[in-house]
Amino acid sequence: MTTTGPSFEFDLAVDPIEQFRTPDRTGSYLGVSKHGFHRVAYVEWGDPQSERVAICLHGLSRQGRDFDLIAAELARRGWRVICPDLVGRGRSDWLREPTEYTLPQYVSDLAALVARLDVPRIDWIGTSLGGIVGMLMAGQRQSPVSRLVVNDIGPFVTWQVLQRLAEAVRAAPLTMPDLASATSFVRTSLSGFGPLSDEKWEHMARHGFVQNNVGAWRKLADSDIAGPLRSSLLFNLSIWNYWDQIECPTLVLRGTESDVLPAAIATEMTQRGPKADLVEFRGCGHAPALMDADQIATVADWLGQD
């Protein structure tokens, strides 16, 4: 499968970030854990009456505004796009009990979102952790997922990789003195996203941090989201049993420099379960940012196939 696509109404190469700082709508809904209800925030793009609905779900310590560019393009093509912040991230509530930052909780919260949308079918775009949640959703009986895009994650992740990702979350500073420092941190810590413009790095920092009343920028992620990934609790993550039950068309994206999704695992994903299409992006590690024109066109064109 190629990474070429039709021309855009706007030229993403010139980084028109200002166009995408304000989604069409914002909202929230209630999820529930063992210790009570919590609010899950989201942003929404496109025609609220559209029959084509996509959910975009972010990675471990990120939030839904990472998808602004691709959400805007999908909305232009006729999708209604919802980009939630998982609990403990972005504008969503933090959980009272950190041990509840688990895959079953995330699946429960996203199932509640699907119920809120009251639509029979959804397309799913998931980066890293968002891709794992997507696989778990799509691998269930009577799943509403009609097309699945998995960005740089597979059904098997070693405990060493999980530990490294968790340590990065725990080591991240809670505050930055200014937006420039936050942007520099994001650029360094997310270098695997690929070569992005200054505007795009700042965009991610602007929505990954919030300025407090003394002018510092506070990280919009609970450090305890990495709690369940303590080294004493870690095993390899294997959800091949869910992968093998996925029946919907599936696209796997991989950064050629990624060590989170090894080439061998990506190839195996094309040979079993949904026998996914595979596209690799050069110059990226974990995970392609889905912010440049080729990456956006690849996903949008694939989702638009009959």
Side-chain angles (χ1 to χ4, degrees):
M1 189 175 174
T2 65
T3 59
T4 59
S7 60
F8 288 76
E9 280 189 354
F10 44 81
D11 182 3
L12 288 173
V14 299
D15 301 321
I17 294 296
E18 289 297 335
Q19 297 181 47
F20 310 117
R21 285 207 170 136
T22 305
D24 294 331
R25 294 170 297 281
T26 62
S28 66
Y29 64 96
L30 289 178
V32 66
S33 72
K34 293 179 181 177
H35 290 79
F37 287 94
H38 51 264
R39 188 178 61 88
V40 180
Y42 62 87
V43 296
E44 186 173 350
W45 306 79
D47 180 1
Q49 304 304 317
S50 175
E51 295 182 357
R52 296 299 303 267
V53 178
I55 290 176
C56 300
L57 190 63
H58 57 80
L60 178 62
S61 62
R62 300 301 304 155
Q63 37 72 43
R65 298 301 299 273
D66 285 357
F67 293 102
D68 279 6
L69 289 169
I70 191 169
E73 173 60 11
L74 286 172
R76 187 186 72 80
R77 297 191 186 199
W79 270 266
R80 176 188 181 190
V81 187
I82 297 90
C83 306
D85 298 339
L86 286 172
V87 285
R89 293 86 163 169
R91 303 290 175 175
S92 292
D93 287 344
W94 293 10
L95 293 178
R96 298 173 181 83
E97 174 49 61
T99 60
E100 293 181 348
Y101 287 122
T102 62
L103 289 173
Q105 183 62 59
Y106 303 145
V107 170
S108 172
D109 285 347
L110 270 295
L113 174 58
V114 174
R116 178 186 179 88
L117 297 173
D118 192 25
V119 293
R121 307 295 288 171
I122 56 169
D123 297 329
W124 188 287
I125 303 169
T127 293
S128 194
L129 174 59
I132 292 175
V133 176
M135 287 184 270
L136 293 174
M137 295 281 286
Q140 303 280 355
R141 291 181 57 193
Q142 299 182 346
S143 172
V145 179
S146 59
R147 282 186 175 269
L148 173 66
V149 180
V150 178
N151 186 17
D152 208 69
I153 199 72
F156 182 84
V157 186
T158 67
W159 69 267
Q160 293 95 333
V161 167
L162 294 173
Q163 184 175 39
R164 190 187 78 225
L165 296 174
E167 287 301 325
V169 172
R170 283 190 282 265
L174 298 179
T175 61
M176 290 288 181
D178 49 45
L179 181 59
S181 299
T183 301
S184 178
F185 169 76
V186 169
R187 185 193 296 265
T188 301
S189 61
L190 301 179
S191 60
F193 278 30
L196 302 178
S197 67
D198 291 344
E199 291 83 358
K200 288 173 184 174
W201 288 122
E202 182 181 317
H203 178 75
M204 287 193 288
R206 189 177 293 276
H207 295 291
F209 292 79
V210 64
Q211 193 171 26
N212 63 22
N213 56 9
V214 295
W217 288 74
R218 177 177 59 83
K219 182 178 67 171
L220 284 175
D222 184 353
S223 296
D224 284 337
I225 58 176
L229 299 180
R230 293 191 302 274
S231 58
S232 61
L233 301 177
L234 280 182
F235 299 89
N236 296 331
L237 172 69
S238 180
I239 55 171
W240 281 113
N241 55 326
Y242 286 91
W243 181 261
D244 289 336
Q245 295 180 79
I246 296 173
E247 298 180 349
C248 66
T250 300
L251 171 65
V252 174
L253 308 175
R254 178 178 181 269
T256 56
E257 299 173 19
S258 176
D259 62 348
V260 174
L261 177 57
I265 296 294
T267 298
E268 189 171 357
M269 294 168 76
T270 70
Q271 298 171 344
R272 57 189 285 188
K275 297 184 178 179
D277 296 325
L278 173 63
V279 174
E280 296 184 306
F281 296 116
R282 296 190 179 279
C284 301
H286 182 73
L290 306 185
M291 282 188 168
D292 68 44
D294 283 347
Q295 294 175 12
I296 291 171
T298 296
V299 175
D301 291 350
W302 185 87
L303 287 174
Q305 296 178 97
D306 293 332

